[in-house]
Every structure is written in C-alpha cells, then in structure tokens.
Amino acid sequence: MKILITNIQELLQVEKTPKLFVSGKQMKILPTIKNAFLLIEDSIIIDFGEMIFLEDLKVDKRIDAKRKIILPTWCDSHTHIVYAGHREQEFIDKINGLTYEEIANKGGGILNSAKELQNTSEDELYNQSSKRIEEVMKLGTGAVEIKSGYGLTKKAELKMLRVIKRLDKNYPITIKSTFLGAHALPTEFKNNKKAYLDLVINEILPIVAKEKLAEFIDIFCETGYFSVEDTERILKAGNKFGLIPKIHVNQFTAIGGIQAVIKYNALSVDHLEEMRAIDIECLKGTKTMPVALPSCSYFLSIPYTPARKMIDAGLPLALATDYNPGSTPSGNMNFVVSTACIKMKMTPEEAINAATINGAYAMNLHKTHGTICIGKKANFIITKEIPSYNFIPYSFGNHQIDKVFIEGKEI
Ligand code: NIG
Ligand code: FE
C-alpha cells in the first residue's frame, strides 16, 4: 500500500545515504526539506522531496499534512521498560531526604524491584510492560532497547528476556534486548560477589545466547555495585557468545570503567553524569556512542551529562530515557529532548540528532532507523501545528505530536 503525504511544512532529518552517526560540530546540522512530500510503501520510505518536484502519482492513500512538520520517530536506546510494580514509596523517601544510595542500602532500589518481579508471573509481567510499550509508541518512540536486570535469578532473568522477545514479536515498534544480569548483587550473594558473577556467566549467559534472548550485554559498573574488574570479566564472557557491550558507567563515580569497556568495542557507554577530562579524551576516535539520560538526572537531582564539553570535544552523543521504576519512571523522549536543550545546553538540532540518528546507532539500527531515508522504515511523527521545530523542545512538559506512524501504519 502506497501512502503519499503532501504539504509538509518541513521534513526533518532527511538523509541520502545512511551514515553511522553524527558527532561534534556535525551535530549542529539537521538536514531538512521545506515544503516537502513523503512517499511510503507498506513499511518502507520510498521517496521524499520538495513539493515542486512531486509528479502525478498513483497511490492508495493521500494525507495532507496541512503545513505540519514531520520527523523520524525517536530512537530510545536505553530503557528498563520490563519491570513489575512501582517504587513510588522510595520517591517519597527521597523527598524526605534519603539518597539513592541510602534507599538501596535499606533493601530498596533494584533489589526491591527484583523481589517484586520474581513474584510476578510471565503473563502479568508482559501485561504490565505492554502498557508502557503502548504509551511510548504514542509519545513518538519507534525503536527501543530494553534491558533485563530486575530478575537477578536464572529463572527471573530469563523470564524478563522472554517478555522482551514477546513484546518485540507483538508490537510494530522495533525492540532490542540487553542482558543485564549484573545490575545489582542479590542479598543472598552479599558476601560472595564472585559466586553471583559465576552464576551470571556460567549458568544464565549460555542460555541467553543459545535462545538468542539478547544482542547486547550490560553491567552496572559503579562504586558499591560492580567494579571495573567485574565489568571486564562480564564483557569477556559476553564476547565469547558474540554479545556486544552497552554499559552503565560513570553515573555516580568515575572509576575507569569507560577506559576498560572501549577495549571491548562497547557500542555505547551510558549515563556519564560524572565525566573527567580523561574520560572524554579516551572516547575520541572510537566507535562507542556516549548516551546521556537527562530524565534520570532530573528525577534524582544528580548532575547532567556534560554534553557541551563532550560535543565541543568532537564526540557524538545520543539521548535516551532510561525508563525504569527507580531512577526514571518516565519514557517520554519529548521531555528528554527538551531537558537536553534546557539543562544541558544542547541546541534543538543537536538534541534531535541525538534522539534519532545517534540513538539508532546506539542500538545497531542505523541501517533501518533514525532518519528519513529511502529504504529505511516508514517510522515518523507528524507534529501538531507548530511554527518551527524549535517549538518541540521549547514546549517542555508537553508534546507536539499529532500522529505517529510505525512501519507505515498509524498507531
Ligand atoms: O539506569 N543505574 C542503574 N540502573 C538504573 C536504575 C535502576 C533502579 O533504580 O531501579 C538506571 O538508572
Ligand atoms: Fe539504566
């Protein structure tokens, strides 16, 4: 089925030939076509250009965009959307003065979510998570990465990963899966971290690989969680099974994790709220995408990733939500893009690049997602009537979405 969309005020993020990502000064450039059309066939973009070049075409459906703006759907490369229950009590504890660390130390945090998930059936976990998938699609997200890591037992980690697989099968949004067995140390292993890592590596990982339950591997490399040494051990093990690293690192402390994981060709390093000059330096010239999670900084009141310093040093940057029950109970990429502009001083062009093309790269989806390009997925947002694309981040706390198309279908 061919659909032609005409009278587009501005078509954002257009691309002739797919590139990997944009970095440094390039991030300030957002290629657009004013007064444009877009032609899709089934789930794929087959043409686009200026209205004046539009020939008489036979199509199955025409949509008059009535001078609205079109941009590719958001690519959210870091989430924990599959979880059970909520942690709003910890939100209150935080208001009353406890830190993230103090909450974790009294049995809250990740371990709290793990206990809840272990006691939730696979079907129930699927039902709870599918609501969030539907929610983020309506908010304009067309591709998302989801991590395990709230199971922390063989049975519960596999349950999470199977739910991720089922969501991918049942929804049009593209879902990439990450095995994050080493997210936190379960209480029963409190004094024996080695034994827990043995379990993750020797018992869970081989099944994850055999059943193709994940493409990526992650670990929370952080003081009080897992060390740089633990991280290298996990990455080496993942490497044997062909799992690509995407790492939680430099969230609260800078302990040399970035230097370690780039040796294993990490696809992305995520969080990066605490960045030393040497951490920025060592990312230069690598193919590792730095990923900032501004909603997490907002919710926890911790520093924002120093985007300006990083981009001005020539690095690329992606933006993602980190949607999870503890540090970021929000999957709203529109808010992420606004917050990146407001708090991290990214320009709208940089923020849109970070949330589309660079986010796609951080999930290994650069060939199919992240730009308006012939041959890529027909994934796009039609905005409400807005004066310019600057209005998207400007109208923070709101969204400017009229319609969302994923794989050529309005959702
Ligand atoms: O990315 N930092 C580690 N993991 C999650 C938060 C997990 C939680 O608090 O439940 C994050 O922020
Ligand atoms: Fe996370």
Side-chain angles (χ1 to χ4, degrees):
M1 157 135 153
K2 275 191 187 168
I3 305 178
L4 174 67
I5 303 150
T6 55
N7 291 323
I8 303 165
Q9 179 196 131
E10 197 165 4
L11 183 61
L12 310 187
Q13 193 61 295
V14 293
E15 191 184 44
K16 280 257 153 65
T17 35
K19 49 183 165 311
L20 293 177
F21 54 80
V22 285
S23 52
K25 283 197 181 75
Q26 278 179 308
M27 284 192 69
K28 277 207 169 36
I29 303 164
L30 182 68
T32 77
I33 298 176
K34 289 197 168 134
N35 201 13
F37 73 89
L38 175 66
L39 181 63
I40 66 171
E41 184 165 15
D42 302 325
S43 63
I44 301 293
I45 295 169
I46 59 166
D47 201 7
F48 61 85
E50 279 182 66
M51 281 298 286
I52 45 164
F53 298 124
L54 178 61
E55 286 164 14
D56 210 9
L57 284 175
K58 252 189 92 183
V59 295
D60 303 292
K61 191 175 169 185
R62 284 171 188 265
I63 299 173
D64 183 347
K66 296 189 179 143
R67 308 289 302 154
K68 292 170 182 173
I69 290 173
I70 291 189
L71 67 153
T73 49
W74 306 123
C75 295
D76 188 355
S77 67
H78 181 138
T79 84
H80 309 249
I81 278 177
V82 172
Y83 59 81
H86 300 277
R87 306 216 306 261
E88 74 274 19
Q89 182 49 47
E90 294 178 11
F91 172 60
I92 307 303
D93 292 343
K94 241 179 289 156
I95 294 170
N96 289 327
L98 291 191
T99 64
Y100 185 76
E101 206 179 356
E102 284 164 343
I103 292 167
N105 289 342
K106 70 171 191 136
I110 298 167
L111 297 185
N112 191 355
S113 288
K115 209 190 296 156
E116 179 100 26
L117 191 140
Q118 287 158 15
N119 294 325
T120 302
S121 73
E122 195 166 314
D123 282 344
E124 174 57 20
L125 184 61
Y126 175 84
N127 290 340
Q128 290 188 25
S129 307
S130 61
K131 290 201 181 86
R132 287 185 282 272
I133 285 292
E134 287 165 19
E135 175 200 3
V136 301
M137 288 196 305
K138 289 201 182 85
L139 288 166
T141 299
V144 71
E145 178 260 17
I146 309 178
K147 300 169 195 297
S148 72
Y150 287 124
L152 308 183
T153 63
K154 179 171 159 184
K155 196 168 154 216
E157 281 295 304
L158 294 174
K159 175 164 69 184
M160 281 189 87
L161 291 167
R162 287 184 184 127
V163 167
I164 298 173
K165 207 171 180 179
R166 201 162 133 202
L167 290 167
D168 183 40
K169 202 167 140 247
N170 293 348
Y171 284 95
I173 183 173
T174 299
I175 300 179
K176 290 283 186 134
S177 173
T178 301
F179 175 46
L180 173 57
H183 194 194
L185 199 57
T187 320
E188 25 333 347
F189 290 92
K190 208 164 143 203
N191 300 313
N192 199 350
K193 190 167 61 172
K194 186 185 169 295
Y196 182 63
L197 288 175
D198 286 345
L199 172 80
V200 168
I201 291 170
N202 301 327
E203 291 191 39
I204 314 179
L205 182 57
I207 303 175
V208 172
K210 189 162 165 250
E211 294 188 18
K212 296 197 184 350
L213 290 171
E215 177 174 341
F216 307 119
I217 189 157
D218 193 349
I219 177 167
F220 190 13
C221 177
E222 186 57 62
T223 309
Y225 290 83
F226 295 97
S227 67
V228 173
E229 209 186 351
D230 301 332
T231 303
E232 293 213 35
R233 206 182 146 207
I234 285 281
L235 296 199
K236 260 186 215 148
N239 197 14
K240 275 199 204 134
F241 291 102
L243 294 190
I244 302 161
K246 278 173 69 65
I247 308 298
H248 278 77
V249 71
N250 288 46
Q251 181 177 6
F252 300 111
T253 54
I255 54 173
I258 301 176
Q259 284 75 2
V261 305
I262 54 178
K263 288 189 298 198
Y264 296 87
N265 298 320
L267 180 61
S268 73
V269 281
D270 303 32
H271 272 288
L272 315 178
E273 289 87 343
E274 296 296 335
M275 290 292 274
R276 303 165 298 180
I278 48 166
D279 298 322
I280 294 178
E281 202 49 44
C282 76
L283 283 166
K284 286 185 185 168
T286 69
K287 291 240 170 93
T288 301
M289 177 62 68
V291 180
L293 310 164
S295 296
C296 176
S297 298
Y298 177 85
F299 191 75
L300 295 184
S301 300
I302 60 173
Y304 288 86
T305 301
R308 266 289 41 96
K309 272 193 198 155
M310 295 165 69
I311 296 171
D312 293 346
L315 295 185
L317 190 69
L319 288 166
T321 62
D322 199 16
Y323 199 175
N324 75 70
S327 72
T328 323
S330 162
N332 190 343
M333 281 296 283
N334 307 283
F335 180 78
V336 164
V337 168
S338 277
T339 308
C341 294
I342 298 162
K343 296 292 183 188
M344 295 157 69
K345 302 291 172 219
M346 289 171 73
T347 64
E349 293 80 7
E350 287 173 332
I352 293 172
N353 274 319
T356 56
I357 185 171
N358 285 3
Y361 175 81
M363 290 185 270
N364 223 347
L365 285 175
H366 56 278
K367 290 193 183 133
T368 49
H369 292 71
T371 61
I372 302 293
C373 180
I374 293 173
K376 282 197 181 184
K377 298 262 185 209
N379 280 12
F380 55 91
I381 295 168
I382 306 182
T383 65
K384 295 178 183 160
E385 268 178 61
I386 51 174
S388 75
Y389 62 71
N390 293 330
F391 209 82
I392 297 169
Y394 166 77
S395 59
F396 83 96
N398 219 329
H399 70 70
Q400 295 303 331
I401 297 171
D402 178 21
K403 294 187 171 69
V404 179
F405 280 76
I406 298 178
E407 304 226 345
K409 289 204 177 70
E410 188 182 340
I411 58 118

